[in-house]
Amino acid sequence: MDIPYLTPLPVDMLRRLGIPSDWNFGLADRVRFSELDALGHVNNAAYLSWFENVRLPYLAQARVTDYGPSAPRLVIAELGVRYLKEMLRGEVYVLTARTASYRNSSFQTDYAVFRITDSTAELTCSSRAAIVLRSRDGTGKLPIPDAAIAHFTRVDGATKET
Amino acid sequence: MDIPYLTPLPVDMLRRLGIPSDWNFGLADRVRFSELDALGHVNNAAYLSWFENVRLPYLAQARVTDYGPSAPRLVIAELGVRYLKEMLRGEVYVLTARTASYRNSSFQTDYAVFRITDSTAELTCSSRAAIVLRSRDGTGKLPIPDAAIAHFTRVDGATKET
Amino acid sequence: MDIPYLTPLPVDMLRRLGIPSDWNFGLADRVRFSELDALGHVNNAAYLSWFENVRLPYLAQARVTDYGPSAPRLVIAELGVRYLKEMLRGEVYVLTARTASYRNSSFQTDYAVFRITDSTAELTCSSRAAIVLRSRDGTGKLPIPDAAIAHFTRVDGATKET
Amino acid sequence: MDIPYLTPLPVDMLRRLGIPSDWNFGLADRVRFSELDALGHVNNAAYLSWFENVRLPYLAQARVTDYGPSAPRLVIAELGVRYLKEMLRGEVYVLTARTASYRNSSFQTDYAVFRITDSTAELTCSSRAAIVLRSRDGTGKLPIPDAAIAHFTRVDGATKET
């Protein structure tokens, strides 16, 4: 299959690639030489930049931010990563993102890496990150915009934490 | 105080810098320009390279590996990071490492970043990583060397998971 | 125009994008957040990884190497870069590569970055790198394969240095 | 010899380490695992971050900038690098910087990497970068401060280009 890289993929293409149906936002990329370490596989830190690559367009689509000059600061407070399979140079993968749950000014986002081959989409890495909306001047937290909460609930099936 | 960078610090220097007494392995470093992102603070992925910087000498001192040609592969299976404070260019910090618990062929390692100023050592980031010892050919797991278990228990106060 | 990313582009697409006719190998990519520095623009070091991204598939297509286990080591001996225009997050660019001249076991490769907008391909950065073929054991130099010299002359119009 | 890392070294220590007498600004560092690529040696792009590491304190000491909010933008217009020797994990090196020549609003800076062993300082990489002082708003060039020209001439022996 011909996969358009670096662009949010239509949901039906995610399904045809074999990405599980609880992921509705994804984009394709390939492992670069500069992401390998001396062991010859993708270094554990490189995955965090990958999640950043999918998080930024995801947060724009979910209406959390427009990245404008007066947009809130989005700060990662906590993250967890599970490294399930090694990855090697040139491999094609799809990064996915969604929101699992939210509070007033913070939310839990999930990420996954699926290695794409002719026949399968194999989960190689998964991650969760807690994101907090802070004011530009750093003095306080800001509420999640209503449009974002609508997206979290409707598209991602996220729940409100109590 | 004059801090020697990039070299494991004597325990009494860790104490004088204000590092809590449950950390016995640490080394000092400074934030580089290349570790900042467009927000002007240390990027979340850079911390993983910092933990790598302290993990490698820690694992050698703890006798887990000599990094020789027949040494086991040390694979990170899972990690968690808590980002507590932003960090900025030029700041001096001490990275610490220790082992919290172990099984037959895997162990849980803890890391912390302390920002050093004249008066305090301020915890800015903490992390836990699960490490697995794998054979070179990838076919199986290898047991933790006895000398490493001795170090884990005696120096780090690690406990065996059951 | 719809540009396929991360894949060598057909020559007629290079022409339609406005890439000058002395470039016959190119691939498209986008600026990532992790490539920006604290000044908010692409850091000077990031361009070297970009040139690496285009060099690797270029050298395979030019038959210099198949990156197999017995392939020669390709070592960069010298490089020059001219930074003509700043680049910013999300910008689309085409990387190009070709060989300018060759000797027995070394050759001069040229690279360029073109920022792609609806109307133009704007040169933002150019580079030249001298590459040497070395034996695996590092003891000596290896000759450029005949198939590569044929590619250098026929496709790139490279000349032999005397 | 005990070398203080990450701090500009006194000139007499540069001499005792074997750094040639035409270098008067240098700081020591060690190769990190994250700077290696899949070939197991320091990647060509990593050297550019090293030169950045020495350039920033050098430009402050030379009074080119105080990195304050109204300081000029320092833009690299062109650079050249000669890779003379491979470098490996854990190696200790001294980075050096100086200015070779200047015009009204631009100047040529030189850099070198010396691998330090017990007996020698071995040149492994050298570089030249042309730097331009630009106004914050990007509209024009700014003159080099007089104090910087005094430093360039007196300490570095730089000459004015005509």
Side-chain angles (χ1 to χ4, degrees), chain A residues 5-6 29 32 56 89, chain C residues 5-6 29 32-33 56 89:
Chain A
Y5 291 103
L6 308 188
D29 208 329
R32 284 132 208 259
L56 271 61
R89 181 163 98 82
Chain C
Y5 292 103
L6 308 188
D29 208 329
R32 283 132 207 260
F33 182 79
L56 271 60
R89 182 163 97 83

Side-chain angles (χ1 to χ4, degrees), chain B:
Chain B
M1 194 183 326
D2 220 34
I3 314 170
Y5 291 103
L6 308 189
T7 311
L9 296 170
V11 172
D12 68 309
M13 178 165 274
L14 293 174
R15 292 300 91 77
R16 274 184 291 139
L17 288 167
I19 310 292
S21 64
D22 46 359
W23 296 104
N24 293 309
F25 188 88
L27 47 84
D29 208 329
R30 297 182 73 169
V31 176
R32 284 131 207 262
F33 182 79
S34 60
E35 295 165 339
L36 307 179
D37 62 24
L39 302 177
H41 62 189
V42 176
N43 185 263
N44 63 79
Y47 292 86
L48 267 61
S49 298
W50 293 5
F51 296 136
E52 194 173 71
N53 289 341
V54 70
R55 179 166 54 244
L56 271 61
Y58 166 75
L59 293 177
Q61 192 186 75
R63 309 285 198 86
V64 177
T65 179
D66 60 4
Y67 297 107
S70 60
R73 287 177 69 102
L74 296 167
V75 177
I76 295 185
E78 196 166 345
L79 68 79
V81 189
R82 299 183 65 195
Y83 300 97
L84 305 169
K85 301 279 178 187
E86 283 194 320
M87 293 189 73
L88 305 176
R89 180 163 100 82
E91 290 182 346
V92 173
Y93 58 87
V94 168
L95 295 167
T96 57
R98 70 175 175 229
T99 296
S101 64
Y102 60 95
R103 297 187 178 207
N104 287 330
S105 48
S106 67
F107 54 108
Q108 299 280 349
T109 49
D110 286 342
Y111 308 90
V113 182
F114 292 93
R115 174 163 41 209
I116 304 297
T117 58
D118 283 348
S119 51
T120 57
E122 180 188 25
L123 181 66
T124 61
C125 185
S126 65
S127 178
R128 170 162 290 194
I131 300 179
V132 181
L133 279 78
R134 293 201 160 276
S135 61
R136 283 270 132 186
D137 62 4
T139 54
K141 297 182 178 179
L142 292 176
I144 300 172
D146 288 343
I149 290 177
H151 186 100
F152 292 167
T153 353
R154 187 172 41 81
V155 179
D156 294 343
T159 53
K160 174 146 196 175
E161 285 182 71
T162 52

Side-chain angles (χ1 to χ4, degrees), chain D residues 130-148:
Chain D
I131 300 178
V132 181
L133 278 79
R134 293 201 160 276
S135 61
R136 282 272 132 187
D137 61 5
T139 54
K141 297 181 179 180
L142 293 176
I144 300 172
D146 287 343

Side-chain angles (χ1 to χ4, degrees), chain C residues 37 39 41 43-45 48-49 52 55 73-74 76-83 86, chain D residues 37 39 41 43-45 48-49 52 55 73-74 76-83 86:
Chain C
D37 63 24
L39 303 178
H41 63 188
N43 185 262
N44 64 79
L48 266 61
S49 298
E52 192 173 73
R55 180 167 52 246
R73 287 176 68 104
L74 296 167
I76 295 185
E78 195 167 346
L79 68 79
V81 189
R82 300 184 63 195
Y83 300 97
E86 283 193 320
Chain D
D37 63 24
L39 303 177
H41 63 189
N43 186 263
N44 63 79
L48 267 61
S49 298
E52 193 173 72
R55 180 167 52 245
R73 286 177 68 103
L74 297 166
I76 295 185
E78 195 166 347
L79 68 79
V81 190
R82 300 184 64 195
Y83 300 97
E86 283 193 320

Side-chain angles (χ1 to χ4, degrees), chain A residues 3-102:
Chain A
I3 314 171
Y5 291 103
L6 308 188
T7 312
L9 296 170
V11 171
D12 68 309
M13 179 164 275
L14 293 174
R15 293 299 92 76
R16 275 185 290 137
L17 288 166
I19 310 293
S21 64
D22 45 0
W23 295 105
N24 292 310
F25 189 88
L27 47 84
D29 208 329
R30 298 183 72 169
V31 176
R32 284 132 208 259
F33 182 79
S34 60
E35 295 165 339
L36 307 179
D37 62 24
L39 303 177
H41 63 190
V42 176
N43 185 263
N44 63 79
Y47 291 86
L48 266 61
S49 299
W50 292 6
F51 296 136
E52 193 173 72
N53 289 341
V54 71
R55 180 166 53 245
L56 271 61
Y58 166 74
L59 293 177
Q61 193 185 74
R63 309 287 196 85
V64 177
T65 180
D66 60 4
Y67 297 107
S70 60
R73 287 177 69 102
L74 296 166
V75 177
I76 296 185
E78 195 166 347
L79 68 79
V81 189
R82 299 184 64 195
Y83 300 98
L84 305 168
K85 301 278 178 186
E86 283 193 320
M87 293 189 71
L88 305 176
R89 181 163 98 82
E91 290 182 347
V92 172
Y93 59 86
V94 168
L95 295 167
T96 57
R98 70 174 175 230
T99 296
S101 63
Y102 60 95

Side-chain angles (χ1 to χ4, degrees), chain D residues 17-36:
Chain D
L17 287 167
I19 310 292
S21 64
D22 46 0
W23 295 105
N24 293 309
F25 189 89
L27 47 84
D29 208 328
R30 298 182 72 169
V31 176
R32 281 130 209 261
F33 183 79
S34 60
E35 296 165 338
L36 307 179

Side-chain angles (χ1 to χ4, degrees), chain C residues 63-111:
Chain C
R63 308 286 198 86
V64 177
T65 179
D66 61 3
Y67 297 106
S70 60
R73 287 176 68 104
L74 296 167
V75 178
I76 295 185
E78 195 167 346
L79 68 79
V81 189
R82 300 184 63 195
Y83 300 97
L84 306 169
K85 302 278 178 188
E86 283 193 320
M87 293 189 71
L88 304 176
R89 182 163 97 83
E91 290 182 346
V92 172
Y93 59 87
V94 168
L95 295 167
T96 57
R98 68 173 177 232
T99 297
S101 64
Y102 60 94
R103 297 186 178 208
N104 287 331
S105 48
S106 67
F107 53 109
Q108 298 281 348
T109 49
D110 286 342
Y111 308 90

